[in-house]
Amino acid sequence: MSHPVIRRAWYVPMRARPAEESHRVSTPLELLFDLCFVVAVAQAAAGLDHGFIENHVGSAILAYLMTFFAIWWAWMNFTWFASAYDTDDVPYRLLVLVQIAGSLVIAAGVPRVFADNDFTVIVIGYVIMRLATVSQWLRAAAADPPRRRTATRYAVGVAAVQVFWVALLLVPSSWVLAGFAVGVLLELSVPIVAERPTPTTYHPHHIAERYGLFTVIVLGESVTAATLAFQSAMDRSGHSATIIGMAAAAVITMFCLWWVYFDHESVPEINAARAAFLWGYGHYLLFAAAAAVGAGLVVAVAYEEQETHGISYVVSAAATTVPVTIFLLVITALRAQPGRPRIIPVATSIAAAVVLADTFVPAPLYLTAGVLVALVAVLTAATRTRAGASPDAPPAADS
């Protein structure tokens, strides 16, 4: 029996998709985009752990925050646009291909930032991506009259800020940091200004899923980086109990961070503009922290193997405990919703404080893993008990 051939129109007018559309899920093209983008995340994390190992901590953190903003912002621009205007026709797919190519150029430029503070290649990658992004917004402006002003504002704003980034390459190096800060403010203001006439019809459930999937990918990249570090250490020094124990603590830590992120009772309330901006912008810190945890684990292995160059024990511990603390605090803020058990934010905040304190005591990786296990136990008891007490809870299945 032959299978029917699915025929798609090669061109579809780019009208807004309804925000209440049923069965709206991430597409294979969006997943491919994410997987290509994680290459840049891996490069940024590698630059961060290398900076710690070489005792260039301050410059490494600054370069990491700057490059990660570029990575996250490019990903976020694509994600929110696709939620409202993904037509999946041939022009759309080809323009996404251009954006993927731009993301790979950005990834290629990340090491230059850490080595020489050179943003040239990253800016070139942005130019490539934004040629496609502006084209997509112009398509939306032409085909979606109710939101024409919004789409036009996006197209003009994105193009104008990109001109600023290109111009920043021409200024003296002493101006770059201040210019970068100005560029960040301009970037963040474009959606705020553009959404005022008529908001885009992003799909709240789709956005929550897209952010969740990228969180999984970033955590997965951290696991990969840490695994390679542990494997390399065991190849050099044999299967030492210390390295194996650290590896087990690292796996538990990453799994617990995943659990904390996804242990919620409903999708986040991001229908209102303020909540949407908080969710969208707040994930910069969460994604950056998740990737930095992997870098911190690499630093912990290097310190144990005496391969670091002059960093103190506290600094080596902070490379892991600080990003874990930031992750917990940010997810607490993002998941703050009326009606949630008060014990959840309280427990998460206490866990964050204890993890930060682990920086100054022996065996911080083990203690951090233990704190996160306790937090997961508390969150599980709180959410499951509340679900069981709810009159709307489904009956337990018979054994």
Side-chain angles (χ1 to χ4, degrees):
M1 180 178 178
S2 61
H3 295 284
V5 177
I6 299 176
R7 300 187 181 277
R8 298 182 183 274
W10 79 270
Y11 176 82
V12 178
M14 188 169 273
R15 299 189 180 94
R17 297 178 67 153
E20 67 281 0
E21 179 181 352
S22 59
H23 307 296
R24 181 77 167 96
V25 296
S26 297
T27 67
L29 184 58
E30 288 175 319
L31 299 180
L32 176 63
F33 184 91
D34 290 357
L35 290 174
C36 292
F37 235 81
V38 82
V39 176
V41 173
Q43 292 279 29
L48 180 62
D49 66 58
H50 182 73
F52 268 76
I53 291 170
E54 295 296 326
N55 201 11
H56 304 310
V57 177
S59 60
I61 292 174
L62 181 60
Y64 178 74
L65 294 175
M66 294 169 75
T67 55
F68 206 94
F69 175 84
I71 295 165
W72 160 78
W73 188 247
W75 177 86
M76 202 179 83
N77 275 228
F78 166 80
T79 297
W80 287 78
F81 177 87
S83 186
Y85 286 107
D86 183 358
T87 56
D88 198 33
D89 58 3
V90 172
Y92 178 85
R93 290 186 175 190
L94 292 178
L95 287 171
V96 172
L97 172 61
V98 175
Q99 291 174 295
I100 289 175
S103 74
L104 297 178
V105 174
I106 291 174
V110 169
R112 293 172 178 259
V113 177
F114 284 89
D116 304 314
N117 200 32
D118 181 3
F119 285 87
T120 303
V121 177
I122 286 184
V123 171
I124 292 172
Y126 252 78
V127 169
I128 295 171
M129 289 196 71
R130 286 184 156 174
L131 287 173
T133 301
V134 172
S135 298
Q136 298 278 42
W137 280 116
L138 292 177
R139 280 192 66 191
D144 188 20
R147 278 157 287 274
R148 180 165 293 158
R149 287 183 62 197
T150 300
T152 302
R153 287 189 178 194
Y154 267 113
V156 173
V158 168
V161 177
Q162 188 55 47
V163 171
F164 173 86
W165 289 121
V166 173
L168 191 61
L169 295 177
L170 307 177
V171 305
S173 58
S174 58
W175 294 9
V176 169
L177 185 58
F180 188 90
V182 172
V184 167
L185 293 176
L186 292 174
E187 292 281 10
L188 296 177
S189 67
V190 169
I192 296 173
V193 174
E195 294 281 336
R196 284 180 180 173
T198 306
T200 52
T201 59
Y202 65 89
H203 196 292
H205 288 206
H206 175 247
I207 287 293
E209 182 191 27
R210 296 287 293 118
Y211 274 75
L213 290 172
F214 199 66
T215 300
V216 170
I217 290 174
V218 173
L219 288 173
E221 187 282 323
S222 291
V223 171
T224 301
T227 299
L228 293 175
F230 286 117
Q231 178 185 353
S232 177
M234 287 191 288
D235 288 344
R236 290 190 303 272
S237 58
H239 298 279
S240 69
T242 301
I243 294 298
I244 293 174
M246 291 174 65
V251 171
I252 292 171
T253 295
M254 301 306 296
F255 185 75
C256 288
L257 292 180
W258 168 85
W259 193 309
V260 170
Y261 184 91
F262 288 99
D263 192 49
H264 51 84
E265 299 161 286
S266 61
V267 297
E269 297 291 337
I270 54 176
N271 297 288
R274 184 176 181 276
F277 279 114
L278 176 63
W279 179 263
Y281 289 1
H283 267 77
Y284 163 68
L285 290 174
L286 189 141
F287 289 153
V293 171
L297 295 173
V298 174
V299 174
V301 174
Y303 188 86
E304 177 65 28
E305 294 293 296
Q306 299 181 352
E307 295 177 350
T308 56
H309 298 132
I311 64 171
S312 67
Y313 173 79
V314 170
V315 171
S316 70
T320 302
T321 58
V322 170
V324 170
T325 300
I326 293 172
F327 186 99
L328 294 177
L329 293 177
V330 173
I331 194 60
T332 300
L334 293 178
R335 291 289 182 189
Q337 296 180 17
R340 294 200 81 196
R342 184 172 177 78
I343 190 175
I344 293 178
V346 170
T348 308
S349 300
I350 292 174
V354 176
V355 168
L356 187 60
D358 290 346
T359 307
F360 306 97
V361 299
L365 191 55
Y366 299 100
L367 292 174
T368 296
V371 170
L372 291 177
V373 168
L375 174 62
V376 166
V378 171
L379 298 185
T380 301
T383 55
R384 300 306 180 272
T385 300
R386 186 167 182 261
S390 171
D392 297 327
D398 295 334
S399 56

